[in-house]
């Protein structure tokens, strides 16, 4: 059967089970969009390419399947860059397709030409420029394989216009053969034996679990390990939800805005069991003083992560779920000891707290938690103070329920990501927590939400500032609020109504719960503008580069 490149593109998406793609058309993509017109694949037209890639990211995090996005050449392609970098930093499987000028025009500064493979080389797991239609199907198959195996990540496929119009006799490609690419999933038994000995001998173990636990679906194994060892568990931002937030062994997040008891515990542990986490600088604080008295076990599918930031005594390369399953059979149950007593003392002495009066953002987020805890709710955040309060005050009980930009810290991520989650699960509740600064970075996607009846609920913590930057100016620059006051903010209620969504403004403490309940009952997109106190700060806080024990607040 002879098919054009555009038709092959559609056939390949179907073969990989793609049911939804997020995109924005352009001239070089006309053949692909014409082929999509009759295809049984849902295309969601966002209002900006950045919205498309973040939506694909949210879809991927919620489902565990690769998210797919499509953009035209030149500015369309470059508008994907932030979202691709965001997915790369957080190890999210995305396959991004971009249109390109014809092969003969490559390298000639042609209209809407950009070297997108060169631009994205450092922020993709791999990328391709397809110059011949005969290479298209096998390239797409490789792209999905690379994006989803080993440590997941974004892969970009750039397709010139003439490749989409050329036709060949189409045959489905065979199995993928990539010499040199062979992710290790099974850890060596010798490594596991040494790890088990170290765990069995430890007196003060702590589990430090990251996003790799969520990716591999190892939350049950993580819980078994913690309960067998009676070991406290602290999550990274990306790992939240991998361990029940209401479990007695849970310490919450650690690091810059982690709990005091998590930071004290990791400083005093004699063994850190790091699982699918990467010891980033927001977790470790000052590296020279980080957990000096502890041996370190590091389990990760990516060997490049092991030893990158922190010295490791027991490296284990392998899939987290496979590794923990095998490890559980090698370790001995521990009995209660002074370690658990010490942990409980820290939790009692240093709880998360704030002055609980007025319109505090922590109060609003705690109300969100109270009113959604019994629902199968999915929550996204943008980046800033609201993100840290969400990480601190939400009780996240299940994996793939909390989605946030961890590594890159991308303002503008949360709303379009929520659309991707809602597209994946149309019947579920999806709630995005945002700031007045973050929400305006992709506010145009309100049109997408309304157009496709994606009934996400957005809760804006509106403090009239770029709050986290203002907090640093407050603490370290004598309150010289240079360019962080958001003067000229729009009326978010009217903005929502103008797009066809529902807008609500909440200014009083007693209005918070009724507003949330009303919004959750409305089967349409809702924007809740919570006008909160302007100069509230996120505490605890470890100043950048300080020791984890040197916490403010």
């Amino acid at each position: 059967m002879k098919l054009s490149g555009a038709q092959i593109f559609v056939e390949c998406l179907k073969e990989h089970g793609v049911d939804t793609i997020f995109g924005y058309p352009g001239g070089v993509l006309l053949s692909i969009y014409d082929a999509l017109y009759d295809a049984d694949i849902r295309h969601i037209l966002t209002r900006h390419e950045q919205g498309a890639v973040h939506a694909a990211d949210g879809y991927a995090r919620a489902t565990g399947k690769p998210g797919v996005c499509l953009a035209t050449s030149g500015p369309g392609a470059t508008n994907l860059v932030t979202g691709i970098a965001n997915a790369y930093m957080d190890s999210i499987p995305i396959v991004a397709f971009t249109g390109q000028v014809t092969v003969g025009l490559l390298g000639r500064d042609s209209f809407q030409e950009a070297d997108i493979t060169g631009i994205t080389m450092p922020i993709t797991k791999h990328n391709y420029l397809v110059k011949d239609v005969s290479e298209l199907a096998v390239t797409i198959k490789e792209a999905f394989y690379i994006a989803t195996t080993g440590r997941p990540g974004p892969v970009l496929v750039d397709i010139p216009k003439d490749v989409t119009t050329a036709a060949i006799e189409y045959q489905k490609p065979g199995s993928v053969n990539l010499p040199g690419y062979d992710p290790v999933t099974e850890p060596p038994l010798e490594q596991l034996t040494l790890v088990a000995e170290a765990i069995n001998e430890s007196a003060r173990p702590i589990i430090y679990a990251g996003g790799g636990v969520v990716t591999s679906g190892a939350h049950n194994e993580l819980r078994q390990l913690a309960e067998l060892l009676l070991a406290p568990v602290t999550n990274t931002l990306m790992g939240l939800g991998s361990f029940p937030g209401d479990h007695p062994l849970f310490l919450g997040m650690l690091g810059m805005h982690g709990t005091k008891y998590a930071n004290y515990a990791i400083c005093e542990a004699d063994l850190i069991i790091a699982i699918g986490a990467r010891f980033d600088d927001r977790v470790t604080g000052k590296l020279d003083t980080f957990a000096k008295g502890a041996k370190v076990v590091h389990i990760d599918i990516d060997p490049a992560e092991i030893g990158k930031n922190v010295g490791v005594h027991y490296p284990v390369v392998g899939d987290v779920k496979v590794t923990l399953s095998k490890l559980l059979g090698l370790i001995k149950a521990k009995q209660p000891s002074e370690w658990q007593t010490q942990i409980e003392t820290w939790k009692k002495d240093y709880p998360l707290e704030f002055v609980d009066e007025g319109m505090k953002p922590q109060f609003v987020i705690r109300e969100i938690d109270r009113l959604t805890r019994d629902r199968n709710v999915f929550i996204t955040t943008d980046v800033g103070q609201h993100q840290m309060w969400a990480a601190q005050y939400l009780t996240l009980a299940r994996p793939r329920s909390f989605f946030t930009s961890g590594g890159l810290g991308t303002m503008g991520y949360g709303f379009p990501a929520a659309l991707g989650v809602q597209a994946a699960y149309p019947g579920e509740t999806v709630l995005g927590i945002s700031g007045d600064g973050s929400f305006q970075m992709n506010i145009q996607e309100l049109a997408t939400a309304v157009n496709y009846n994606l009934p996400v609920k957005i809760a804006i913590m509106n403090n009239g500032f770029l709050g986290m930057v203002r907090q640093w100016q407050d603490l370290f620059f004598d309150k010289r609020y240079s360019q962080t006051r958001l003067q000229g903010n729009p009326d978010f209620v009217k903005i929502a109504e103008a797009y066809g969504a529902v807008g609500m403004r909440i200014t009083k403490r007693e209005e918070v719960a009724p507003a949330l309940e009303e919004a959750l009952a409305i089967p349409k997109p809702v924007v809740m503008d919570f006008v909160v106190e302007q100069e509230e700060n996120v505490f605890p806080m470890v100043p950048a580069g300080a020791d984890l024990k040197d916490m403010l607040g």
Side-chain angles (χ1 to χ4, degrees):
M1 181 172 54
K2 210 163 188 177
L3 297 180
S4 70
Q7 292 170 317
I8 291 172
F9 170 83
V10 170
E11 288 301 312
C12 290
L13 294 192
K14 289 180 179 177
E15 185 182 342
H16 287 90
V18 175
D19 54 20
T20 305
I21 65 174
F22 305 88
Y24 202 101
V28 300
L29 290 175
L30 285 174
S31 295
I32 284 181
Y33 270 89
D34 189 63
L36 283 170
Y37 191 80
D38 296 319
D40 188 20
I41 297 173
R42 180 171 57 162
H43 179 280
I44 292 182
L45 173 65
T46 57
R47 293 304 186 266
H48 191 287
E49 290 85 354
Q50 188 180 356
V53 65
H54 288 324
D57 179 306
Y59 178 97
R61 295 189 199 221
T63 63
K65 300 190 296 184
V68 181
C69 60
L70 175 63
T72 193
S73 62
T78 56
N79 282 342
L80 295 180
V81 169
T82 297
I84 292 172
N86 186 76
Y88 183 74
M89 291 288 281
D90 288 350
S91 305
I92 305 303
I94 283 179
V95 180
F97 293 98
T98 48
Q100 184 56 276
V101 300
T102 60
V103 173
L105 289 177
L106 286 170
R108 296 173 181 268
D109 293 335
S110 307
F111 176 67
Q112 289 195 334
E113 180 190 6
D115 177 13
I116 194 62
T117 52
I119 290 169
T120 59
M121 187 175 292
I123 55 170
T124 50
K125 191 173 175 186
H126 195 60
N127 65 22
Y128 296 89
L129 170 60
V130 184
K131 291 187 175 181
D132 192 298
V133 68
S134 64
E135 301 168 355
L136 183 58
V138 68
T139 299
I140 293 175
K141 185 155 190 169
E142 289 178 5
F144 277 92
Y145 180 74
I146 293 171
T148 56
T149 53
R151 178 178 182 171
V155 177
L156 182 139
V157 181
D158 196 27
I159 310 174
K161 180 179 180 180
D162 47 344
V163 172
T164 69
T165 56
I168 59 165
E169 198 67 31
Y170 174 65
Q171 288 185 330
K172 288 184 179 178
S175 58
V176 172
N177 178 23
L178 294 171
Y181 179 70
D182 187 19
V184 175
T185 56
E186 292 274 350
L189 179 60
E190 296 80 5
Q191 287 181 338
L192 288 182
T193 302
L194 291 173
V195 168
E197 290 176 359
I199 291 175
N200 290 334
E201 292 171 2
S202 66
R204 302 186 305 280
I206 184 170
I207 296 172
Y208 156 56
V213 178
V214 177
T215 300
S216 69
H219 49 284
N220 287 329
E221 288 78 6
L222 172 63
R223 180 169 182 160
Q224 291 175 51
L225 179 69
E227 292 178 348
L228 194 61
L229 300 177
L230 299 177
V233 178
T234 182
N235 276 146
T236 67
L237 183 62
M238 290 296 297
L240 289 171
S242 65
F243 192 79
D246 55 358
H247 196 287
L249 291 171
F250 187 55
L251 297 181
M253 191 172 67
L254 80 164
M256 180 174 283
H257 291 296
T259 63
K260 286 189 176 181
Y261 38 90
N263 286 342
Y264 284 133
I266 205 159
C267 289
E268 297 301 325
D270 68 348
L271 183 74
I272 297 172
I273 307 170
I275 306 172
R278 58 188 178 88
F279 292 101
D280 76 274
D281 56 300
R282 291 249 166 162
V283 162
T284 63
K286 187 178 181 181
L287 270 175
D288 292 344
T289 59
F290 176 72
K292 297 302 289 182
K295 300 286 186 183
V296 176
V297 173
H298 195 173
I299 301 169
D300 203 290
I301 198 165
D302 185 353
E305 283 298 336
I306 294 177
K308 186 173 77 175
N309 294 326
V310 168
V312 173
H313 303 83
Y314 303 98
V316 183
V317 177
D319 175 79
V320 166
K321 185 178 179 70
V322 173
T323 300
L324 292 187
S325 298
K326 294 179 179 296
L327 188 61
L328 284 168
L330 299 175
I331 60 176
K332 301 172 185 175
K334 289 186 182 294
Q335 299 301 313
S337 67
E338 293 181 1
W339 181 228
Q340 287 79 37
T341 304
Q342 178 62 72
I343 296 289
E344 289 305 315
T345 301
W346 280 324
K347 291 175 80 169
K348 181 180 177 182
D349 291 347
Y350 305 108
L352 278 174
E353 56 187 356
F354 61 95
V355 178
D356 193 7
E357 57 188 29
M359 278 294 283
K360 293 290 175 63
Q362 300 96 318
F363 168 74
V364 177
I365 291 174
R366 201 177 61 188
E367 285 295 277
I368 291 173
D369 181 59
R370 183 176 68 82
L371 294 170
T372 60
R373 197 175 299 173
D374 295 333
R375 291 170 176 253
N376 196 33
V377 66
F378 297 88
I379 293 181
T380 71
T381 82
D382 271 296
V383 169
Q385 288 181 310
H386 68 274
Q387 178 190 32
M388 294 298 104
W389 284 316
Q392 291 176 337
Y393 289 97
L394 293 177
T395 307
L396 300 164
R398 59 191 174 87
R400 298 196 184 280
S401 63
F402 180 69
F403 314 103
T404 192
S405 173
L408 195 63
T410 306
M411 291 176 67
Y413 165 81
F415 178 37
L419 299 181
V421 177
Q422 189 77 81
Y425 295 107
E428 303 294 346
T429 300
V430 181
L431 191 150
I433 300 175
S434 189
D436 47 330
S438 284
F439 186 57
Q440 291 183 75
M441 289 208 165
N442 274 308
I443 196 169
Q444 77 284 344
E445 300 307 334
L446 276 168
T448 308
V450 171
N451 188 33
Y452 292 93
N453 192 26
L454 299 170
V456 298
K457 319 303 178 198
I458 299 298
I460 302 173
M461 302 298 117
N462 183 354
N463 58 11
F465 274 104
L466 298 174
M468 189 60 88
V469 188
R470 182 210 55 76
Q471 175 168 335
W472 284 52
Q473 290 172 332
D474 178 352
L475 298 174
F476 309 117
F477 291 88
D478 298 327
K479 295 193 174 188
R480 290 159 56 85
Y481 295 155
S482 176
Q483 303 301 317
T484 48
R485 189 183 299 276
L486 290 174
Q487 295 173 322
N489 265 348
D491 183 326
F492 290 111
V493 173
K494 290 183 177 178
I495 285 277
E497 292 171 349
Y499 275 106
V502 175
M504 305 167 67
R505 178 167 297 109
I506 304 95
T507 60
K508 297 177 181 176
R509 184 182 176 91
E510 58 270 24
E511 297 171 347
V512 172
L516 283 165
E517 289 171 338
E518 181 182 351
L520 290 170
I522 296 174
K524 294 177 64 175
V526 179
V527 175
M528 292 168 282
D529 181 18
F530 291 97
V531 181
V532 298
E533 292 191 9
Q534 290 198 320
E535 298 190 41
E536 184 71 7
N537 287 339
V538 183
F539 291 119
M541 178 182 182
V542 179
D547 187 291
L548 278 187
K549 288 184 177 179
D550 294 336
M551 289 172 273
L552 305 177

